[in-house]
C-alpha cells in the first residue's frame, strides 16, 4: 500500500464509488480487440470516437459494443477481495455506488453475477447513459447530490486513469487499485493498493 497523503479521514468516509470492470471484477476486457472490431484508431477513446460518428453509424457501432460487453459480463469474476471489502463497508453503513463507462444494464448484470447486488442499490449504479462518461466528474456530482453530501466527502476507487481523473476533478478522494503494482498515476492518487483485499485490510 502506498500513500500520497494522510488517508485516515478518507478511509473513514461513508460514501464510496467504485469503477466496475477491472476494479470490482477481474480485468478481462481486450480494448485493442474492441477498437479493432469497431474501427476505432489505436489509442483513441472508444466512447469518444463513437460519439463523433454520424448517427446511423454510431448506433450500429454501439449495438456491436453492447453485444461485446454483454458477452464479457456473462463470464466476469469478482476481483480479489471485492466481496470482503464491500461487505465490510456495507456493514459500517457506507453508501456504495458504481460509476462505469459500461451500460447500467450490463453493470447490474455484472454485480449480480459477482454477488454484490445485496450491497449496492440499483439507483446508485450509473452507466454511460446515466451520466457523462468518465473522466467527466458528472457521475460523482450526481451521486453526491443523491446522497446529500459534498463531492469532497466521497471516495473514488478505480484501476485506470479515467477513474482517478474523475475523482480529482470532483475533489473526491482517490484510490488506485493495480494488481501489477506499477501505480502509473501517483499525481492523481491518494492511496494505491495492489488489490481490494489489501484495501479491506487497511480498513480493519
Amino acid at each position: 500500500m502506498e500513500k500520497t497523503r494522510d488517508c485516515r479521514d478518507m478511509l473513514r468516509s461513508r460514501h464510496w464509488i467504485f469503477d466496475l470492470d477491472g476494479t470490482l471484477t477481474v480485468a478481462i476486457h481486450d480494448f485493442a480487440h474492441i477498437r479493432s472490431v469497431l474501427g476505432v484508431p489505436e489509442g483513441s477513446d472508444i466512447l469518444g470516437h463513437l460519439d463523433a460518428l454520424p448517427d446511423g453509424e454510431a448506433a450500429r457501432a454501439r449495438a456491436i459494443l453492447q453485444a461485446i460487453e454483454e458477452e464479457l459480463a456473462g463470464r466476469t469474476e469478482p476481483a480479489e477481495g471485492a466481496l470482503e471489502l464491500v461487505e465490510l463497508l456495507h456493514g459500517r453503513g457506507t453508501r456504495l455506488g458504481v460509476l462505469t463507462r459500461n451500460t447500467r444494464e450490463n453493470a447490474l448484470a455484472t454485480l449480480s453475477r459477482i454477488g454484490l447486488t445485496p450491497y449496492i442499490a440499483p439507483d446508485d449504479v450509473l452507466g454511460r447513459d446515466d451520466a457523462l462518461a468518465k473522466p467527466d466528474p458528472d457521475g460523482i456530482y450526481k451521486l453526491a447530490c443523491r446522497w446529500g453530501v459534498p463531492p469532497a466527502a466521497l471516495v473514488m476507487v478505480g484501476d485506470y486513469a479515467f477513474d482517478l481523473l474523475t475523482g480529482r476533478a470532483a475533489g473526491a478522494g482517490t484510490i488506485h487499485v493495480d494488481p501489477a503494482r506499477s501505480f502509473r498515476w501517483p499525481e492523481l492518487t491518494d492511496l494505491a493498493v495492489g488489490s481490494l483485499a489489501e484495501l479491506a485490510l487497511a480498513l480493519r
Side-chain angles (χ1 to χ4, degrees), residues 120-195:
I120 303 174
D123 287 346
D124 292 337
V125 178
L126 300 184
R128 58 176 174 253
D129 299 321
D130 307 300
L132 297 176
K134 295 178 291 186
D136 193 288
D138 182 50
I140 290 183
Y141 293 148
K142 286 183 174 177
L143 285 172
C145 181
R146 173 175 168 76
W147 294 341
V149 296
L154 275 61
V155 178
M156 180 72 215
V157 185
D159 69 313
Y160 189 61
F162 283 164
D163 309 308
L164 306 173
L165 284 164
T166 302
R168 271 288 186 269
T174 57
I175 299 178
H176 183 198
V177 184
D178 180 8
R181 306 192 70 84
S182 58
F183 303 133
R184 292 177 286 169
W185 306 286
E187 72 282 3
L188 302 175
T189 304
D190 295 317
L191 179 66
V193 296
S195 69

Side-chain angles (χ1 to χ4, degrees), residues 33-142:
H33 173 70
I34 293 172
R35 287 189 180 91
S36 176
V37 170
L38 297 176
V40 178
E42 181 180 353
S44 295
D45 175 49
I46 293 170
L47 297 183
H49 179 84
L50 299 191
D51 285 342
L53 294 174
D55 289 347
E57 189 176 348
R60 288 190 293 273
R62 290 191 183 100
I64 294 170
L65 178 59
Q66 171 68 5
I68 292 171
E69 290 175 333
E70 283 180 359
E71 188 276 329
L72 291 169
R75 57 185 176 90
T76 192
E77 298 296 335
E80 178 191 359
L83 184 58
E84 175 190 5
L85 175 63
V86 169
E87 283 183 333
L88 175 62
L89 289 169
H90 185 266
R92 293 181 175 184
T94 305
R95 291 293 296 268
L96 301 172
V98 168
L99 181 58
T100 177
R101 286 164 60 93
N102 208 318
T103 66
R104 184 169 179 272
E105 177 186 3
N106 285 341
L108 292 173
T110 297
L111 291 171
S112 176
R113 177 174 170 81
I114 64 176
L116 297 184
T117 300
Y119 310 103
I120 303 174
D123 287 346
D124 292 337
V125 178
L126 300 184
R128 58 176 174 253
D129 299 321
D130 307 300
L132 297 176
K134 295 178 291 186
D136 193 288
D138 182 50
I140 290 183
Y141 293 148
K142 286 183 174 177

